[in-house]
Amino acid sequence: MNTQPHSISNQPRLGDLLDLAQQLRRDADASGASLRHRDRRIGQELAGLKHRPVPQLLAWLAQVRRQSDEHGGELQGEFRDEFRGDRVNVLHRLGLLILGVAGLLAGWAAAAVVFRYDGTHPVNVIHVLAVFVLLQLLTLLGFGISLLPPSVTRFLPGLSTVQDALGLLSPGKLQRFLTRYLPQSYRETVASLLGRGRAHYRLYATLDRWVVAHSSQIFAVMFNLGAVVSALYLVVFSDLAFSWSTTLQLEPAGMQGWTDALSTPWSAFYADARPSLELIEDTRYFRLKEGVFPEASSPAGLGGWWPFLVMCMVVYGLLPRILTWLLARFRLRATLRRIFLRFPGSSDLRDRLNSELVETRAEEPETGQAGDMTAAHETTRDASLGGQSALVINWSAAAPDPDQFRAWVADAAEVTVTAWQEAGGAGSLADDRRVMQTAAGATGSGTAGTASDAPGDAASANPGLMILVKAWEPPMKDFLDFLRELREALPADRLIHVLPLGRSAAGQVTAAEAHQRDLWQNVLARLGDPWLSCSRLGGEDA
Amino acid sequence: MSEHPSFAVVGHPNKGKSCIVSTLAHDDSVRIGELPGTTTECRYYPMKVDGEVLYSLVDTPGFQRARSAHEWMRQRETTADRRPDVVREFLTEHADSGAFPDECRLLTPIMEGAGILYVVDGSVPYGPEYDAEMEILRWTGQPRLALINPIGTADHIEAWRTALGQYFNVVRVFNAVTADFQKRVELLRAFGQLQDEWRQPLQRAVDNLTADRKRRREAAARMVAAILAEMLTLRVQRNIGVDEDVEPAKTAIIVEYQQRIATLELHVRKQVEALYDHHELVRQEAALQALEAQELFSAEAWRIFGLTRMQLLGLGALGGAAAGGVIDLAVGGASFLLGTLIGSGVGAATTFLAANRLVDVKLLDTTMGRKRLAAGPTRNRNFPHVVLGRARLHHALVAGRSHAQRGTLDILEIKEQAQELLGSLPDGAQRRLERAFGRLRAGREITAIVDELASVIAEVFEEDER
C-alpha cells in the first residue's frame, strides 16, 4: 500500500530535528533486523516519497511518533519516552511571539519619544534620521558582520571577537534562554545535539547561528513596524511641527542635497515625500532668533516633513529588515533541511526505508537439544584387541581388501581372523540376517571370548566377534538396528567388538583417528549394552 | 505444492548439510554438530524480498535407514512411472509407525515439490551404503542436484563425481566453509537450472542478494567513515591543579586518548559484524589484540597497515603543491611555478616532522586555580591510513566469512598476510582519501566529508572483495 500524503511537509522544524535526534539515539540500541523491518514497512508505505528525502524523513518521523504514542500509552512514568518536538516548536514560536511583541512595543516607544512634540520644541528631523536611518544601518552592518563565516573571520584579526560581542547583544539569545523550560530529557537531547562530539559541531553551530539570527530579525522587523505605525499615529492624531537644526555648518541647499539623496528611491513616484528647498528653509531652527520659526511663511507647512520621514523609516529601516528576516528564515529552513538529511544516522535510515528487505535466515529457532559428545563416555566399554582369534563382520566394506586387513591386524595386534562375513553396504537385510546366524553359530554359546578387558586371555577355540566399521562415517540407525538384532541372536554376555577403521590415501586400512573413535564410542555407549565395546587394536593409543 | 521453488538439503548424517544451509542462508544460528542426528526436524529458511518468498531452503535430518526404506519400496515397485507413488505410499504408511522417522521427515518436503540438493563429503571415499539413499531420491522423480562438499582434503572428488553423475542432473563441488559470495550466487543460479520455472525467481533472488550485498558494503563504509571522522577530530581534555605536576597528567591523558580511539574501533568492528549477520562470532582475546589499543599504536601496526615514510612524503608534497599551485594561479603564472615547488617542499617537510607522533598534549590555559590539558585532534598523517587499513582487513575477513565457519576470527594470524590479501589502494582512492582526511583535520563541516569518505571506502571495500 502506497500512501501519498498530500499534507506531508517539505520543511522540518526545530522540534522535528530534536525528535529525529532522539529517535535515532534510541535506535542505536536496537537490533539491526528489527530496525530494518520497521523502517522498510514504513518505507513501502512511503514509496512515493522515495526521491524526496526530506518529506520522506518527516513522514517516517510522523509514523514512528504515532507508533510510539500507541505503544507508549501502555507504559507509565519514567518508562514512557514521549516525543516532545511539538513542545519545542511551541516554545520556539512563543519565543518568536515574545520577541515580536517586544520589538513592536520598543519601536512604538522609540518613535513616540523621537516624535514627541509638546508645542514648544518642534521634532528635530536630524534626530529622526539618526535613530531610524543611521542607527538602523549600523545595526544592519552589525548583523552582516555576525553572519560572516569562520572561513572569512579567520583572515581578519579581531573580527571573531566583534562577532562574539554582537552575539551577546542579539535579542535572539532569548531562544537559548527558553530551552531551560524544556523537559529534562529534551534538555539532554538539545545538549547532546549541540555538543554531539567535536566531529559535528560545525553543523550545529550553523543551526544555532541561524536560529538566533532569525529570531533577532523578527525583533528588528517588528521594531521598525512599531516605529512606523507609531509615527503615522502621531501624524494622524496630533499636530506635529518639524524643524531641523545642527551645530555643523549646513546651509539649506546642503541639507537639500542630503534629503534629495535619501529620497532617491521614491522621488520618481512619490514627489511629495521629497522635501522642497522652501520647506527646508522655512523649518530651519535657530535658538537665538526671535520666534521658533522666523523664516516660516505658513504654519501649515511645518508638518510637511512627515512623508519624507516615514518613507525614510520604511525604506531604510523596515524594508531592509524584512529582507534580512526573509534571508534568515530562508537560511534557517535550508539549514534545518540540510541537517535533517546529514544528521548522523540519516543516511542509514533512508537506506533502510528505500532498499528492499532481503531475509534469508530461518524464521523459527532450532528445536531439540544438541548432542553432547561427552555425555556417555563413562558407560562405554573401551577394550583393546590383541592376541585373539576373531570372526570378522566387514560392515559396508570398511576393509576393502580382506587379505590386506588380515595382514595388518595380525601385524598390529596379533589377531587371527578365523572367518570373514560381509554385511551392510550394498547387501540386503536378508544378507545381514544370514550373517547374524553365521556369527551366532560360529561364536557358540560358551563363555570363552566373552568380556575380558585383558588382552591375550581369550581362548582361541571360541573366537571373538569383531565388526569393522568406517571410522569416518557416523554410526547410523541402520547399523545400530543390525547390532541390536545381532545381540538378540548372541548370548547376552557375548562381547561384541566394534572396530572403527581409517583408510589411507592408497586405500589401505589404518587405525581410526581419535576424534572418530570418540564419536563411535559415544554413540555405542548410548545403547547401554555392557557387552558391547568400541575397540582399538593393541597398538592404538587409548 | 508451494508457489515458490523450494530445495530440500538431504544426505547422509554429518556430511555438511547444515553447513550448506548455514552458508546459503547467511545464518550462523544453524546448529552444526559432530554427533550424528544433530538435525532432528526439518527447518525452513525462506529467502524473502520485502516479505515475498523467492525460494526456500529446507534443512533435513540425514538418512538413517535408507536400505530398509529402499527395500520396502522395491517390494512394491511396478513400473518406473509409479515410483513416486510408491514413495508417497511409503510416507503414508510410515507417517506414524516410528520405523522411519528421519526418512519420512526428509522425503515429505521433496514429495511436496521441493528440488533435491544432495550433499556428500568429497574428502572421504565413496561407499556402497550411499546407493540406497541415492536410489530413493531418484524414485521421487524430483529435480536433483548433488553437491560435493569437501569437508577436509578433496581427495575423493572424482570418485564421487562418477557415482553421483549416475543419479543426479547436476553435480557441483561447493565448499560450504570457504565459499565466497560469488560462489554462493553461482550455486543459486545452478538451482535455477534444475527446472525452467525456477530460473526466474532464482535470478531475482540472485539480483536482490547482490544488491543487498552492495547495500551492506556501503553501510559498512559509512560506519568506518564516521568512526574515522570521530577519531580524527577527537579531543580529550583534563583539568589539573595549578600545583600538580604536568608530566604524569600528560601520560594519563594520552592513555585516555588511546583508550577512546580503541573503544571507537571496537565499536565499529561489532557494528560491521552485525551488519553481515555474524551475530555469534566468537573472538578470543588473543585474536582481539589486533583490534585493541596497544596494538593500534604499536610500531608494527604502522608498518603493516600504514604508509611508508616515502609514501607519506609523497602525500605531504601533494598537499603542499596544491597550496603552492593556488599562489601560482593568483599571480597568473608569473612565479614560474615556484609556488608549487616550494609548496610541495614545505608539505613534505611538515609531514616528515609530524609522522612519528600520534597526538600532542597542550597546556591550554591556567584559570580559576586550574590548569587545562588537551590531547588531540591528531595531526599524524599516517594514523587514518592505519585505522583504515585495519578496517579493510577486518571488513574483508567478515564479509568473506561464510556463516558455516564457526572458529574464532583470528585477525592476529592473518594480519601478516594483510598486504597480500588487500593489495595497495588505487592511486585515485589514495588521493581522495588524503583530501578527505586533510579536510577533517582542518575542522571543516564533517558530514559532507564523511559522505565523500564513505563513498571512497565503499569503492575500496568492493575492490578488496574482488
Side-chain angles (χ1 to χ4, degrees):
Chain A
M1 182 186 67
N2 288 358
T3 310
Q4 302 290 336
H6 298 291
S7 58
I8 287 299
S9 162
N10 184 35
Q11 183 54 55
R13 291 183 294 173
L14 267 180
D16 296 325
L17 184 61
L18 287 171
D19 279 352
L20 180 76
Q22 174 119 324
Q23 183 57 37
L24 291 179
R25 204 164 55 163
R26 276 183 220 159
D27 285 353
D29 300 326
S31 81
S34 66
L35 291 181
R36 279 192 61 71
H37 270 105
R38 180 197 67 189
D39 295 336
R40 181 56 186 159
R41 197 171 54 244
I42 298 175
Q44 282 178 293
E45 289 174 16
L46 303 173
L49 298 172
K50 186 174 178 179
H51 301 293
R52 296 175 60 207
V54 172
Q56 191 186 38
L57 286 179
L58 281 168
W60 170 85
L61 195 58
Q63 289 246 24
V64 173
R65 277 192 198 119
R66 201 159 43 240
Q67 285 176 13
S68 174
D69 285 347
E70 284 163 12
H71 300 300
E74 298 156 14
L75 302 172
Q76 298 292 323
E78 59 180 314
F79 296 108
R80 192 164 172 181
D81 202 1
E82 290 172 347
F83 287 96
R84 299 291 176 87
D86 287 346
R87 191 158 168 185
V88 173
N89 287 335
V90 168
L91 274 175
H92 182 223
R93 281 182 181 160
L94 182 68
L96 294 182
L97 185 71
I98 292 171
L99 280 169
V101 171
L104 198 70
L105 293 177
W108 183 286
V113 170
V114 175
F115 284 86
R116 184 170 176 275
Y117 176 58
D118 58 4
T120 53
H121 292 88
V123 178
N124 191 343
V125 170
I126 303 287
H127 281 170
V128 178
L129 292 178
V131 173
F132 293 111
V133 176
L134 188 62
L135 196 61
Q136 290 302 302
L137 291 176
L138 283 176
T139 54
L140 211 55
L141 180 69
F143 176 68
I145 290 172
S146 71
L147 290 185
L148 290 175
S151 54
V152 174
T153 55
R154 88 174 113 199
F155 295 112
L156 297 169
L159 204 58
S160 57
T161 315
V162 174
Q163 274 189 330
D164 292 344
L166 288 169
L168 290 174
L169 300 172
S170 171
K173 301 280 265 191
L174 178 74
Q175 292 289 6
R176 286 186 198 151
F177 175 79
L178 285 176
T179 56
R180 292 181 194 184
Y181 297 94
L182 284 171
Q184 173 69 21
S185 66
Y186 259 69
R187 280 209 302 278
E188 285 166 10
T189 305
V190 172
S192 73
L193 187 69
L194 293 175
R196 194 168 164 147
R198 191 179 153 76
H200 298 283
Y201 81 104
R202 276 202 193 285
L203 196 60
Y204 309 121
T206 310
L207 176 67
D208 185 50
R209 188 197 309 162
W210 286 112
V211 167
V212 172
H214 175 248
S215 309
S216 64
Q217 292 320 290
I218 286 202
F219 177 88
V221 167
M222 296 309 280
F223 176 89
N224 282 286
L225 190 65
V228 171
V229 173
S230 173
L232 287 173
Y233 175 86
L234 291 171
V235 166
V236 173
F237 295 102
S238 60
D239 181 19
L240 294 179
F242 295 95
S243 68
W244 65 279
S245 71
T246 171
T247 318
L248 303 175
Q249 289 298 313
L250 188 61
E251 291 308 309
M255 181 66 179
Q256 193 188 22
W258 281 101
T259 55
D260 281 358
L262 287 171
S263 311
T264 308
W266 61 85
S267 56
F269 61 89
Y270 190 17
D272 289 351
R274 178 171 167 270
S276 61
L277 185 60
E278 187 188 8
L279 175 69
I280 293 170
E281 283 172 345
D282 281 358
T283 54
R284 187 166 193 180
Y285 173 75
F286 294 101
R287 269 179 296 144
L288 298 178
K289 282 205 173 176
E290 221 173 281
V292 177
F293 297 110
E295 317 288 338
S297 49
S298 77
L302 297 178
W305 278 97
W306 75 262
F308 167 76
L309 292 177
V310 168
M311 283 309 285
C312 277
M313 290 166 75
V314 169
V315 172
Y316 299 108
L318 185 60
L319 283 181
R321 286 305 182 171
I322 288 175
L323 289 177
T324 53
W325 167 67
L326 285 174
L327 170 76
R329 183 170 181 272
F330 171 77
R331 292 303 305 268
L332 174 62
R333 290 163 67 93
T335 304
L336 276 168
R337 283 198 299 271
R338 194 159 55 96
I339 294 185
F340 223 62
L341 288 183
R342 289 183 170 177
F343 199 84
S346 266
S347 298
D348 291 322
L349 170 58
R350 275 187 292 146
D351 183 35
R352 292 198 296 270
L353 287 168
N354 297 322
S355 53
E356 283 84 3
L357 177 61
V358 176
E359 294 166 286
T360 49
R361 294 166 69 90
E363 289 176 324
E364 304 294 331
E366 193 134 37
T367 53
Q369 295 290 312
D372 180 0
M373 277 291 287
T374 59
H377 265 199
E378 299 305 315
T379 58
T380 188
R381 180 177 293 274
D382 181 11
S384 293
L385 280 164
Q388 289 173 270
S389 63
L391 184 154
V392 168
I393 299 174
N394 187 23
W395 179 262
S396 195
D401 180 352
D403 293 337
Q404 189 260 323
F405 176 77
R406 281 172 209 268
W408 178 75
V409 80
D411 183 49
E414 296 176 2
V415 172
T416 310
V417 177
T418 56
W420 186 274
Q421 296 288 329
E422 296 285 347
S428 68
L429 296 177
D431 293 339
D432 289 358
R433 281 184 208 107
R434 271 194 295 278
V435 170
M436 287 178 216
Q437 285 162 8
T438 309
T443 55
S445 56
T447 54
T450 59
S452 168
D453 289 344
D457 68 348
S460 57
N462 285 305
L465 179 57
M466 188 192 296
I467 307 176
L468 310 181
V469 293
K470 293 173 178 171
W472 64 87
E473 296 291 357
M476 288 166 54
K477 287 177 187 166
D478 191 24
F479 175 71
L480 302 179
D481 291 345
F482 175 80
L483 267 185
R484 196 168 46 249
E485 286 184 45
L486 181 64
R487 166 57 66 213
E488 284 166 11
L490 293 175
D493 58 351
R494 182 79 199 170
L495 184 61
I496 302 172
H497 295 275
V498 175
L499 178 65
L501 293 174
R503 194 175 292 179
S504 70
Q508 304 205 322
V509 291
T510 61
E513 289 174 24
H515 73 96
Q516 294 170 333
R517 233 171 55 78
D518 279 352
L519 175 65
W520 274 89
Q521 191 171 347
N522 192 298
V523 175
L524 295 180
R526 286 162 198 263
L527 297 177
D529 180 350
W531 306 107
L532 178 65
S533 148
C534 182
S535 305
R536 60 177 182 276
L537 296 178
E540 282 185 67
D541 293 336
Chain B
M1 191 181 282
S2 58
E3 291 168 3
H4 57 266
S6 178
F7 302 93
V9 184
V10 298
H12 234 52
N14 281 29
K15 296 302 165 195
K17 294 186 296 296
S18 296
C19 273
I20 299 274
V21 170
S22 184
T23 295
L24 293 180
H26 302 174
D27 191 340
D28 59 357
S29 75
V30 180
R31 195 183 293 150
I32 297 172
E34 205 180 345
L35 211 58
T38 303
T39 307
T40 53
E41 299 286 342
C42 286
R43 198 172 178 215
Y44 291 80
Y45 298 79
M47 189 276 176
K48 294 192 285 189
V49 176
D50 283 339
E52 180 195 357
V53 180
L54 295 187
Y55 72 85
S56 174
L57 288 176
V58 190
D59 191 11
T60 66
F63 279 103
Q64 291 283 357
R65 295 185 174 105
R67 279 194 318 147
S68 308
H70 187 226
E71 277 203 17
W72 188 97
M73 292 174 194
R74 272 175 52 198
Q75 284 164 11
R76 285 152 184 81
E77 182 182 11
T78 51
T79 53
D81 64 315
R82 277 262 306 127
R83 283 174 177 170
D85 293 335
V86 173
V87 179
R88 276 189 206 96
E89 210 180 307
F90 172 83
L91 289 178
T92 313
E93 180 92 10
H94 295 289
D96 301 314
S97 75
F100 298 100
D102 303 286
E103 281 72 16
C104 286
R105 281 187 195 124
L106 75 94
L107 287 172
T108 298
I110 295 174
M111 297 319 291
E112 285 172 354
I116 296 168
L117 305 180
Y118 182 66
V119 181
V120 297
D121 177 3
S123 65
V124 298
Y126 166 76
E129 63 273 28
Y130 288 86
D131 290 355
E133 58 196 47
M134 291 197 285
E135 195 62 43
I136 292 173
L137 295 175
R138 185 156 67 176
W139 279 42
T140 63
Q142 284 300 105
R144 299 178 297 284
L145 181 146
L147 290 176
I148 305 175
N149 176 29
I151 292 176
T153 54
D155 292 343
H156 302 278
I157 286 180
E158 284 316 309
W160 275 108
R161 218 190 270 278
T162 307
L164 293 166
Q166 298 168 43
Y167 293 91
F168 294 89
N169 315 51
V170 184
V171 179
R172 279 189 166 243
V173 178
F174 180 80
N175 189 325
V177 174
T178 60
D180 61 18
F181 181 73
Q182 282 310 320
K183 289 207 173 69
R184 289 174 232 163
V185 162
E186 279 167 27
L187 183 62
L188 285 179
R189 283 207 185 94
F191 291 179
Q193 310 294 323
L194 288 177
Q195 200 156 294
D196 268 352
E197 55 266 38
W198 291 351
R199 198 186 304 263
Q200 196 258 343
L202 264 297
Q203 185 54 47
R204 262 189 73 201
V206 166
D207 292 346
N208 277 287
L209 285 169
T210 308
D212 187 59
R213 180 80 173 176
K214 181 169 180 279
R215 185 191 67 74
R216 288 177 203 237
R217 191 166 52 231
E218 287 169 355
R222 281 197 298 273
M223 290 167 179
V224 171
I227 288 291
L228 263 168
E230 288 279 330
M231 286 179 176
L232 281 182
T233 50
L234 178 68
R235 184 184 177 93
V236 176
Q237 296 192 33
R238 181 180 276 237
N239 291 325
I240 58 170
V242 177
D243 303 328
E244 210 174 316
D245 192 1
V246 171
E247 286 312 312
K250 274 187 174 179
T251 310
I253 199 170
I254 286 176
V255 169
E256 188 186 339
Y257 182 88
Q258 291 181 343
Q259 279 170 349
R260 293 269 293 274
I261 293 276
T263 306
L264 286 170
E265 193 181 48
L266 203 57
H267 177 68
V268 78
R269 295 288 185 268
K270 286 177 182 164
Q271 280 186 316
V272 169
E273 283 157 17
L275 183 69
Y276 283 97
D277 290 326
H278 286 290
H279 304 285
E280 297 178 30
L281 189 62
V282 180
R283 288 174 298 181
Q284 284 179 348
E285 282 305 306
L288 261 177
Q289 277 178 4
L291 313 175
E292 296 292 358
Q294 59 272 41
E295 180 70 14
L296 182 56
F297 299 98
S298 72
E300 194 191 15
W302 296 113
R303 183 173 58 76
I304 295 172
F305 297 106
L307 303 177
T308 63
R309 180 61 61 91
M310 289 312 290
Q311 283 173 310
L312 273 177
L313 288 180
L315 285 176
L318 204 71
V326 174
I327 299 171
D328 291 333
L329 273 178
V331 296
S335 59
F336 301 103
L337 300 181
L338 267 177
T340 305
L341 285 173
I342 294 169
S344 64
V346 170
T350 314
T351 307
F352 185 86
L353 291 172
N356 283 333
R357 292 189 307 271
L358 174 71
V359 65
D360 289 324
V361 180
K362 288 179 192 151
L363 184 63
L364 290 184
D365 47 32
T366 307
T367 47
M368 310 282 286
R370 280 187 310 190
K371 283 190 275 199
R372 200 148 55 100
L373 290 173
T378 178
R379 314 296 300 173
N380 191 303
R381 300 290 286 262
N382 210 357
F383 172 71
H385 294 280
V386 172
V387 173
L388 180 60
R390 292 160 56 84
R392 280 176 68 197
L393 180 61
H394 176 261
H395 176 265
L397 292 175
V398 170
R401 185 182 170 93
S402 93
H403 292 75
Q405 220 170 326
R406 298 297 159 89
T408 53
L409 177 68
D410 196 344
I411 293 179
L412 199 62
E413 232 173 51
I414 298 165
K415 196 183 66 182
E416 294 301 328
Q417 307 153 30
Q419 295 285 17
E420 282 172 45
L421 271 173
L422 302 178
S424 53
L425 287 170
D427 269 357
Q430 188 83 279
R431 263 188 224 111
R432 285 165 69 197
L433 283 171
E434 187 55 28
R435 195 165 53 231
F437 293 152
R439 288 167 68 202
L440 283 172
R441 276 189 286 260
R444 303 276 172 80
E445 187 179 291
I446 195 167
T447 40
I449 308 170
V450 170
D451 288 347
E452 162 66 7
L453 198 53
S455 104
V456 190
I457 294 173
E459 286 169 29
V460 172
F461 281 176
E462 188 179 4
E463 196 63 35
D464 289 345
E465 278 192 59
R466 286 188 192 136

